[in-house]
Amino acid sequence: MERIAAAGAVGYAAKALLDRGRLGEALECALIARDIAPDHARCTATHAAVLDALGRPDEADAAWERAASLKPDDCWHRFNRAASRLRRGLWREGWTDYESRLDEDTCHLLVEPSSFAALRHRRLVAGMGLQGRHVLVFGEQGYGDQVMFARFIPTLARRGAEVTAAVHGAVAPLIRRVPGVRAVLSPPPEQPRARLDLRAAAPDLIEPIGSLPLKLELFATADLSAGCPHLRADSAAVAHWRDWLVARGRAAAPRVGLVHQAERRHAGGDLRSIPLDALDVLKPLAGIDWVNLQHGAPGRSLQQAWPDLIDATAEDRPMDAYADLMAACDAVVSVDTLAAHIAGGLGLPLFVLLPLEADWKWRPAGDGSDWYPTARLLRQPRRGDWKAPLEALAARLGGRQIHRWEAEC
């Protein structure tokens, strides 16, 4: 017991150092904890997290696998193994492990847990007939995940299901445009955090949206991008926004939307966000009309720092209007946040700026995306180093015409 306690204490120190960005010291502590108790699952997981932060994904994947094997009943370890497997393209194994997220309270932010429990016996079964059956698909993670996984709804509909989507109110206007969605449910505007009772919709079948690839048996990489673009822009609205942008910029200039901040309240939000001063490398790019697509206080700060930006977020707009505005741009530059999923889901030319510890959906290397064929990924070479990906972006954008970007994407 003393050995386990000692390993736990050193592992805790490793985690604290990791959180503070002191990676070398964190690795030293993680290795000491591993040597003290090589069969300690939590310490093994901390070691894996440090390896991820150091940009050593192959070693990290091996450690995630070991942590889950040491404590197979722990949903947290299985979820981390799921992320590790998914980023390696092990879709069948990864989607199976991904079900562990449903054991966490954070996956019931939209749906009343008791209603999910009451209808759990009505979940989809792989290979079952869906013709004419009312399937209620519900979001169980963040806005970006709901938008990303919505690509599988058209497949569900093509197999004969009548699909109702239960999603957060903010993304509801966008999800209504997904082909195959018959109806959309969301909390009332006056109670945006209210949880939905799935029983009220009287569905034949239910399924969390993130479980669709498992239940539809979509285990090939090509299955991910086959459903893209799955979002639709309103052509008349896009034409309106193009005129609006031209009136505020230059008629012949390419218009590039910019989003530099992720939601800092979410896990890894700080690591995925770019400081304002780091964006200065983009300012010398001549001939581009930059469009401020950054919401909230960061958007106001961006506009103040870059007064020549076309300010498209001075007013709050529903997400369908935001998508139409985005579609009026010639390309979008975004960090890993909801805006990237909207742009990718619309099939727009997209450049995604990624931290060293990129989320599993972006894979650990390469500039192409399994999820969004029109996206190009620009990665940090070291934790916190935004200079290199921004300089790579500037090189790609500098002096290019929009038709060349479209051809490349």
Side-chain angles (χ1 to χ4, degrees):
M1 291 297 294
E2 290 183 2
R3 178 178 64 89
I4 298 300
V10 180
Y12 181 83
K15 178 65 167 61
L17 290 165
L18 172 62
D19 291 342
R20 289 166 175 76
R22 295 162 62 178
L23 302 185
E25 296 166 274
L27 181 60
E28 288 181 15
C29 286
L31 290 171
I32 292 171
R34 185 198 63 180
D35 291 342
I36 294 172
D39 55 350
H40 194 298
R42 183 70 68 170
C43 290
T44 302
T46 299
H47 181 215
V50 174
L51 291 169
D52 266 335
L54 289 167
R56 293 157 62 175
D58 292 341
E59 295 171 76
D61 289 333
W64 289 125
E65 290 279 354
R66 176 161 174 75
S69 67
L70 288 169
K71 203 167 184 181
D73 294 334
D74 188 303
C75 65
W76 185 78
H77 293 309
R78 284 188 288 117
F79 182 80
N80 283 319
R81 184 173 65 183
S84 169
R85 289 175 167 180
L86 290 170
R87 75 176 173 182
R88 285 178 280 161
L90 301 175
W91 305 114
R92 183 186 298 271
E93 301 89 341
W95 293 132
T96 300
D97 269 347
Y98 198 58
E99 291 294 281
S100 61
R101 76 197 186 283
L102 301 175
D103 295 330
E104 293 286 341
D105 290 340
T106 53
C107 286
H108 298 291
L109 297 179
L110 177 66
V111 170
E112 178 58 48
S114 63
S115 72
F116 177 49
L119 297 178
R120 203 159 191 158
H121 65 287
R122 296 190 188 179
R123 290 189 63 188
L124 297 183
V125 176
M128 73 187 313
L130 298 174
Q131 190 64 44
R133 307 185 80 174
H134 177 203
V135 180
L136 175 59
V137 173
F138 63 92
E140 18 76 32
Q141 296 186 78
Y143 294 171
D145 289 285
Q146 291 175 48
V147 170
M148 182 181 79
F149 281 106
R151 75 186 55 224
F152 300 116
I153 291 178
T155 301
L156 195 62
R158 284 194 297 271
R159 296 188 187 183
E162 297 179 2
V163 183
T164 294
V167 295
H168 287 93
V171 297
L174 205 54
I175 300 301
R176 285 192 182 95
R177 295 181 173 184
V178 175
V181 173
R182 186 189 69 173
V184 173
L185 303 177
S186 57
E190 66 275 13
Q191 294 179 291
R193 299 193 178 190
R195 294 184 179 184
L196 300 174
D197 188 334
L198 299 178
R199 291 165 289 198
D204 298 320
L205 299 162
I206 66 167
E207 196 61 38
I209 197 168
S211 296
L212 288 180
L214 175 66
K215 298 304 179 68
L216 296 173
E217 299 182 288
L218 303 176
F219 301 137
T221 299
D223 293 330
L224 306 182
S225 60
C228 193
H230 62 285
L231 301 180
R232 293 171 171 171
D234 180 275
S235 58
V238 172
H240 160 76
W241 286 118
R242 281 186 180 140
D243 290 343
W244 187 90
L245 291 170
V246 167
R248 288 157 177 77
R250 294 163 291 181
R255 291 168 289 278
V256 181
L258 179 60
V259 178
H260 74 293
Q261 292 276 313
E263 177 53 70
R264 291 181 176 271
R265 293 175 300 172
H266 296 165
D270 286 337
L271 292 176
R272 290 183 283 122
S273 297
I274 303 176
L276 267 177
D277 57 358
L279 296 174
D280 288 346
V281 68
L282 301 179
K283 283 186 177 180
L285 291 177
I288 292 177
D289 278 351
W290 290 97
V291 181
N292 184 0
L293 294 177
Q294 180 73 55
H295 279 112
R300 299 306 90 221
S301 298
L302 175 62
Q303 194 65 41
Q304 186 175 8
W306 284 31
D308 292 336
L309 264 71
I310 299 174
D311 192 359
T313 53
E315 302 175 15
D316 288 333
R317 294 186 175 89
M319 201 168 293
D320 53 348
Y322 181 71
D324 293 335
L325 171 59
M326 185 179 284
C329 296
D330 297 298
V332 174
V333 171
S334 179
V335 294
D336 178 11
T337 192
L338 173 62
H341 293 291
I342 296 176
L346 288 167
L348 305 178
L350 168 65
F351 299 94
V352 186
L353 296 156
L354 296 172
L356 181 66
E357 304 134 87
D359 191 55
W360 62 264
K361 62 182 66 71
W362 306 114
R363 295 289 194 101
D367 69 351
S369 169
D370 295 331
W371 295 84
Y372 302 114
T374 60
R376 288 295 174 265
L377 311 180
L378 304 168
R379 304 173 184 274
Q380 287 183 343
R382 293 168 296 279
R383 198 185 214 203
D385 178 5
W386 288 111
K387 181 180 179 183
L390 285 168
E391 287 180 344
L393 173 66
R396 284 177 176 263
L397 298 185
R400 295 195 175 196
Q401 297 299 312
I402 290 302
H403 72 271
R404 291 192 61 190
W405 298 351
E406 291 176 336
E408 182 172 306
C409 288

